[in-house]
Amino acid sequence: MSEIASLSTGARQRQGSNIGQPMTRRDGVLKVTGQATYAADNNPEGLLHAVVATASISRGRVTHLNVEAARAHPGVVDVMTPQNRPKLAQDPDAKDHPFMFRLDLLQNDRVRYAGQPIAVVIAKTLEAATEGAALLAPTYDAEPAEVGLDGESFVPQVVGPGAPAKAEVGDFDAEYAGSATTLDATYETPAQYHNAMEPHSIVATWDGDSVSIDMPTQGLGMAVGRVAGLFGIPPENIHIRSPFLGGGFGSKGMPAGPQMLGIIAARHVGAPVKLVLSRQQMYGPVGHRGQTRQTVRLGMKDDGHLTAIEHHTLTTTSRFDDFLEPASNVSHTLYAASAIRTTHAGTRIDIGTPMFMRAPGEATGSAALESAVDEAAWKARIDPLDFRLLNYAEVEPISGKPFSSKALRECYAKGADRFGWAKRPLEPRSMRDAGGRLVGWGVGTATFPAIMFQAAARAVIRADGSGLMETGAHDMGQGSWTALHQIAADGLGLSMDETEFRAGSSDLPDAGIAGGSGHTATAGMALHRAGEDVIAKLVELAVNDENSPLYGAGNVGVVARNGRLVRQDDESRGEPYAAILERAGLAEIEGKGSGVPDAGPREKYAMYAHGAVFAEVTVDPELGQMRVTRLVGAFAAGRVINPRMVESQYYGGMIWGIGFALHEEAVHDKRSGRIMNANLAEYHVPVNADVPAMEAILVHEDDPHVNALGIKGVGEIGITGTAGAIANAVWHATGVRVRRFPITLVDVLNGADAG
Amino acid sequence: MNLSLTLTINGEQREIVLDDPRVTLLDLLRERLHLTGAKKGCDRGQCGACTILVDGQRINSCLALAISYDGSAITTIEGLAENGALHPVQQAFIDHDGFQCGFCTPGQIMSAVGLIAEAQADGDAERIREAMSGNICRCGAYQGITEAVLDAQAKISTGKERDAA
């Protein structure tokens, strides 16, 4: 269990000049020396500190705030409440599009969830602002709060950011009724909180009607749009810098209310303001993964072939806005059956609005589906991997579309081989380790769609032959500073060092959003196209210039290689970029490109990354204590830009799968509605000791359809499949099937007693 | 109220006058001295992002009141590299991809330096995992972190043997 240094993974072959190389992070030195600047590391001259006061009830209204006491505290500059908050150009409750979420910006005295901001104290020091916020001592008119899944439900129009809430192929009822064997099982997943290590923060400085902002965001362009709307200023008056995010996982996709309060506070006091949320304050206004109760019904023939799959999800959203975890939709894709039906229902409770959280829908949905499929395999007395292969989807079951590529069989094979799956006994509770602990092995299938958004990029080749590539991309740890730089350099036919790469700022071309595992594909394609554009312009100059060795070579084709343009039919004939620009008398030449999903192929093909995760757990038979002792994931996600960083994404995702399966749960007090464990000591996330030797196998996959670079996306798939694999391993170890996440030792012990 | 204290921070002696007894060591470093390498992830000693060395011992600086540390020698992430050469732990974190977003990294690295000095986990990955568990990494870079600590520990002890010979 401790021999991790010996594990090395393959698929590090060189695929392009820079693309495909496992280079270390370009921002590595900055990050290991403390020089990488996150938003809260900025301390402009004259900075004031703002601290948010938050509601301690879940529903009702604020009846009094002791503003006088706060104001009287030495160092406090002002207190901002609904009474004196500067007017906004837009109602914070307006919702113009599905990606716009309603914000709590002190618009009134209502409290709609615990942790909602109710005032902001601005002071000369952080200590004074913190004390001032405590002195507000709010009183409330509290109303009964609901925080569970058992209230009145409704059928939503859409789930997630706009996916259909219902889909059906075939006649589920008939197929299910006619099945030889059926499974009807209900699984529950709790509210989970992103808990990026970096709390949401902002430093805002106004200059007249212009505002300069340091703020972590996964979507610079959308953040600019939101600020422009709220403050009624043109986008060009807004400059947001977000060179590094201390993690996002979806919680920094849209600007959060408290960050906007920092900008309002800065305007209110006429000085630069820093506002940083406390850890506790991140359990409310910055999103979370909603609770789900999922019912999966499977019908199958005697031989284990699935004939009917139904996946129904009941999930929570807030009283005042909609984000419904699209958990059922994972069943569109994974297993073949002649009838599939997926449905959703929502229930409104007194919480902050749920949000995208790493693999929204796929994480929760696959935890349930992978558990159910395992239960069905046991009913059929078929090895769970064989059962998955038996029901392998050759085309996307819900749509009938072929997959653009799907190397899932290779993932199963390579993962199983590495794990040693062939030795798995079919019966549960049949393996023990040297210490007498029960040992179990489980498998789960991983999948995530290959999403693309829209991005733009700018490419420049300078007089000295060096290059510049710009796109307002975001690095929240995936490695954009490195992977996109690799794509940028290849796009210009230059080395990394000859290519300057700029990102992380709103004054660069809009790179879309770092989410949906689509950022490398989207921003990468924009860079790729910008490179093609600037090279084409350079070629145009050369082939029309009588003094160029490439004169007239337009028909045979010219390619860019190592800072030179050369004839495709004879690469010894060509000349450096610098020579072409010098003769043309140009200081630089510019190209532009955009990254967009290609409608044609997307109409024709289903596009997903796939993987298989194998887990080993040990369970103490007396105490029920569980540990994941081995995890092997094999993933196929199209072209790999940087295998070192891709491995890290898979590891991170798989560790989130451990947290999902065994640790993470926000526990609400049923009477007050408040979260009782809103901190990192009691909301458990995996720590180093929870994480065993892991292996991520990068399975080769060429995809000619997803985009010209063949990139799918790797940020979220690791969590899918893993939670189910661990739950299945717990069952295999103990014979106890726990249908509630996280699985606790109480569940295992109670189940063993019941069994 | 004036409260003065002397701290040696990254080798440099600093005379500090505080106007407030509530200032933590972390907030002193970050907000008043603008040494922002140490990070605030929870302010409750639960995440380890603020880990620094005080007189060679790793501590959570968010739980330490600055005025209690008069006369102490403090090392932060900014003081680890010598003459531009990365400390072996810093280099190992890069080589093993022991971080993603980088926010917990200063704390992880200071914790690793402290751990290696404690000589409690020589070459044992399982003990390293346990001893590094006060430093949460939400990105899940634990595999690389453990590998990095093993690697750095080996390099540091090889270096010491060489120096002794």
Side-chain angles (χ1 to χ4, degrees):
Chain A
M1 216 164 87
S2 55
E3 61 295 339
I4 61 161
S6 65
L7 293 178
S8 67
T9 54
R12 281 191 168 170
Q13 73 270 32
R14 188 168 169 149
Q15 295 181 340
S17 300
N18 298 294
I19 290 175
Q21 290 198 59
M23 42 195 60
T24 55
R25 288 174 196 262
R26 301 287 284 186
D27 49 355
V29 171
L30 288 178
K31 285 182 174 173
V32 301
T33 55
Q35 303 305 312
T37 45
Y38 301 81
D41 298 342
N42 291 284
N43 291 295
E45 196 62 34
L47 181 71
L48 299 178
H49 294 266
V51 168
V52 174
T54 55
S56 58
I57 61 163
S58 299
R59 188 178 187 183
R61 67 188 190 87
V62 179
T63 51
H64 184 253
L65 290 167
N66 196 347
V67 174
E68 300 69 29
R71 259 192 237 279
H73 187 73
V76 169
V77 172
D78 206 349
V79 179
M80 197 166 76
T81 70
Q83 271 70 50
N84 65 346
R85 186 264 270 157
K87 277 202 164 42
L88 295 172
Q90 189 178 52
D91 179 0
D93 280 320
K95 194 172 177 80
D96 298 346
H97 56 83
F99 281 93
M100 186 165 168
F101 287 87
R102 299 194 166 104
L103 302 176
D104 294 283
L105 303 180
L106 308 179
Q107 54 263 48
N108 52 47
D109 64 3
R110 286 294 305 172
V111 174
R112 39 196 191 183
Y113 56 92
Q116 177 195 311
I118 53 172
V120 179
V121 178
I122 306 118
K124 286 182 182 147
T125 65
L126 177 58
E127 292 76 21
T130 306
E131 185 85 25
L135 289 168
L136 288 172
T139 57
Y140 305 97
D141 184 359
E143 297 162 22
E146 282 178 60
V147 287
L149 279 159
D150 298 315
E152 199 178 314
S153 68
F154 66 97
V155 177
Q157 291 295 307
V158 295
V159 289
K166 187 175 193 295
E168 188 160 16
V169 63
D171 184 343
F172 172 80
D173 292 323
E175 291 284 359
Y176 187 74
S179 301
T181 313
T182 60
L183 175 84
D184 181 342
T186 298
Y187 304 86
E188 288 199 8
T189 68
Q192 299 171 343
Y193 281 75
H194 305 79
N195 274 306
M197 293 312 295
E198 175 199 31
H200 290 63
S201 47
I202 188 161
V203 175
T205 307
W206 284 91
D207 179 7
D209 261 346
S210 295
V211 63
S212 170
I213 296 168
D214 294 287
M215 172 178 94
T217 174
Q218 295 172 237
L220 281 160
M222 285 176 56
V224 167
R226 195 71 165 112
V227 174
L230 284 169
F231 294 91
I233 55 175
E236 55 271 24
N237 286 16
I238 301 158
H239 185 195
I240 306 179
R241 289 168 299 275
S242 183
F244 302 104
L245 288 86
F249 313 115
S251 74
K252 292 167 184 165
M254 317 299 140
Q259 291 169 317
M260 299 301 97
L261 284 172
I263 307 176
I264 303 173
R267 175 163 257 194
H268 183 62
V269 296
V273 161
K274 182 191 289 192
L275 187 152
V276 183
L277 288 187
S278 71
R279 179 58 52 181
Q280 185 182 4
Q281 290 173 340
M282 291 169 71
Y283 292 76
V286 301
H288 69 283
R289 196 198 296 284
Q291 304 169 53
T292 72
R293 180 180 292 153
Q294 302 174 53
T295 302
V296 180
R297 291 200 290 165
L298 302 176
M300 59 182 165
K301 297 181 191 166
D302 284 327
D303 63 359
H305 271 104
L306 289 169
T307 51
I309 301 173
E310 185 189 52
H311 196 150
H312 175 72
T313 299
L314 170 65
T315 184
T316 54
T317 188
S318 69
R319 289 266 177 228
F320 56 95
D321 210 345
D322 289 341
F323 185 87
L324 293 117
E325 179 82 1
S328 300
N329 292 350
V330 75
S331 287
H332 293 173
T333 329
L334 273 179
Y335 300 103
S338 35
I340 297 177
R341 182 160 73 201
T342 59
T343 53
H344 293 84
T347 183
R348 296 196 181 280
I349 60 173
D350 300 294
I351 49 162
T353 308
M355 193 68 65
F356 313 92
M357 178 161 155
R358 201 173 196 173
E362 288 81 8
T364 40
S366 82
L369 180 63
E370 289 304 312
S371 297
V373 162
D374 231 62
E375 294 200 45
W378 174 241
K379 280 200 170 199
R381 292 297 189 275
I382 296 175
D383 172 87
L385 179 55
D386 292 340
F387 187 84
R388 284 167 171 83
L389 287 164
L390 188 67
N391 290 293
Y392 194 87
E394 301 292 351
V395 297
E396 187 184 38
I398 198 80
S399 67
K401 287 183 193 177
F403 290 102
S404 59
S405 61
K406 182 179 178 180
L408 177 57
R409 274 204 183 83
E410 291 81 347
C411 295
Y412 283 138
K414 288 196 167 158
D417 185 50
R418 187 77 192 178
F419 188 83
W421 182 262
K423 296 197 206 106
R424 180 185 181 277
L426 188 63
E427 294 281 327
R429 224 179 157 91
S430 50
M431 295 194 292
R432 294 210 182 221
D433 71 4
R437 282 178 292 261
L438 298 162
V439 176
W441 290 357
V443 63
T445 309
T447 190
F448 198 82
I451 297 167
M452 281 181 73
F453 300 96
Q454 295 203 0
R458 175 174 171 261
V460 174
I461 293 173
R462 294 156 166 160
D464 65 356
S466 70
L468 165 68
M469 280 283 214
E470 294 182 332
T471 185
H474 320 83
D475 197 326
M476 51 180 175
Q478 340 86 297
S480 295
W481 282 114
T482 312
L484 292 179
H485 196 157
Q486 289 174 263
I487 295 170
D490 276 9
L492 295 178
L494 293 170
S495 70
M496 304 273 285
D497 289 336
E498 290 163 327
T499 307
E500 186 187 345
F501 177 61
R502 292 182 190 156
S505 178
S506 69
D507 55 1
L508 302 173
D510 186 356
I513 186 159
S517 297
H519 202 38
T520 307
T522 311
M525 275 307 300
L527 292 163
H528 180 72
R529 295 290 185 221
E532 284 180 340
D533 189 43
V534 75
I535 294 294
K537 286 181 179 165
L538 203 59
V539 168
E540 190 68 14
L541 284 178
V543 299
N544 291 311
D545 180 350
E546 286 180 26
N547 294 319
S548 169
L550 297 168
Y551 179 62
N555 289 337
V556 297
V558 173
V559 290
R561 290 261 189 283
N562 303 321
R564 296 165 57 84
L565 291 186
V566 295
R567 285 175 64 107
Q568 208 155 16
D569 61 345
D570 178 3
E571 295 201 3
S572 70
R573 292 165 67 189
E575 62 175 333
Y577 301 163
I580 301 166
L581 289 173
E582 191 186 356
R583 271 200 317 278
L586 292 173
E588 61 174 46
I589 187 165
E590 182 192 82
K592 287 187 172 159
S594 61
V596 289
D598 287 334
R602 279 183 188 263
E603 198 55 41
K604 208 162 152 195
Y605 296 102
M607 298 177 176
Y608 294 88
H610 292 92
V613 180
F614 297 83
E616 176 185 272
V617 301
T618 60
V619 183
D620 185 302
E622 270 83 44
L623 303 175
Q625 190 181 38
M626 283 165 284
R627 279 203 74 178
V628 178
T629 47
R630 280 198 298 148
L631 264 187
V632 174
F635 301 96
R639 194 178 197 187
V640 168
I641 303 301
N642 184 318
R644 184 187 303 268
M645 256 134 267
V646 168
E647 273 174 19
S648 286
Q649 285 298 296
Y650 291 150
Y651 288 146
M654 289 158 73
I655 290 169
W656 274 56
I658 296 176
F660 193 117
L662 301 179
H663 305 138
E664 295 190 37
E665 176 174 19
V667 182
H668 289 270
D669 173 24
K670 297 236 172 356
R671 290 159 304 168
S672 70
R674 289 165 60 173
I675 296 170
M676 298 189 288
N677 58 341
N679 60 70
L680 284 171
E682 294 164 296
Y683 180 97
H684 294 156
V685 300
V687 300
N688 204 324
D690 294 315
V691 174
M694 303 173 71
E695 189 167 1
I697 299 167
L698 279 55
V699 173
H700 184 85
E701 185 178 72
D702 292 315
D703 193 314
H705 306 297
V706 277
N707 49 59
L709 290 168
I711 301 168
K712 286 183 173 173
V714 299
E716 293 162 276
I717 189 171
I719 184 173
T720 74
T722 305
I726 294 169
N728 296 338
V730 170
W731 170 79
H732 189 237
T734 61
V736 178
R737 173 59 65 176
V738 181
R739 290 173 174 165
R740 179 191 169 279
F741 293 92
I743 300 169
T744 67
L745 52 85
V746 176
D747 298 319
V748 169
L749 291 176
N750 286 347
D753 288 347
Chain B
M1 188 180 346
N2 273 348
L3 305 153
S4 64
L5 64 156
T6 306
L7 295 174
T8 304
I9 301 174
N10 299 329
E12 187 193 338
Q13 189 167 314
R14 311 272 294 253
E15 303 297 328
I16 293 156
V17 178
L18 287 179
D19 55 3
D20 195 321
R22 297 169 295 191
V23 181
T24 63
L25 213 39
L26 176 62
D27 289 333
L28 171 67
L29 292 168
R30 288 186 51 79
E31 306 300 339
R32 293 166 187 250
L33 304 178
H34 297 177
L35 284 167
T36 55
K39 298 290 185 270
K40 185 184 282 188
C42 71
D43 215 20
R44 293 290 183 274
Q46 297 165 347
C47 79
C50 65
T51 306
I52 60 169
L53 299 182
V54 175
D55 300 327
Q57 297 282 315
R58 46 184 178 151
I59 68 158
N60 288 324
S61 61
C62 73
L63 292 184
L65 281 175
I67 48 169
S68 314
Y69 286 84
D70 188 21
S72 298
I74 285 167
T75 309
T76 70
I77 191 74
E78 289 93 342
L80 209 53
E82 279 181 34
N83 306 318
L86 294 181
H87 184 281
V89 174
Q90 291 173 313
Q91 186 61 50
F93 267 68
I94 293 176
D95 294 343
H96 294 275
D97 213 32
F99 55 90
Q100 293 184 24
C101 80
F103 194 81
C104 73
T105 312
Q108 298 278 359
I109 289 174
M110 297 315 290
S111 193
V113 171
L115 169 64
I116 291 169
E118 289 160 22
Q120 294 290 317
D122 285 330
D124 184 329
E126 196 63 357
R127 287 165 71 186
I128 288 170
R129 290 189 185 113
E130 193 68 36
M132 291 295 291
S133 282
N135 293 84
I136 294 174
C137 169
R138 185 57 159 162
C139 296
Y142 295 128
Q143 175 104 340
I145 290 168
T146 306
E147 286 177 10
V149 177
L150 277 168
D151 182 15
Q153 202 170 43
K155 286 192 173 130
I156 289 168
S157 66
T158 310
K160 276 190 186 143
E161 280 162 26
R162 202 184 309 121
D163 291 346

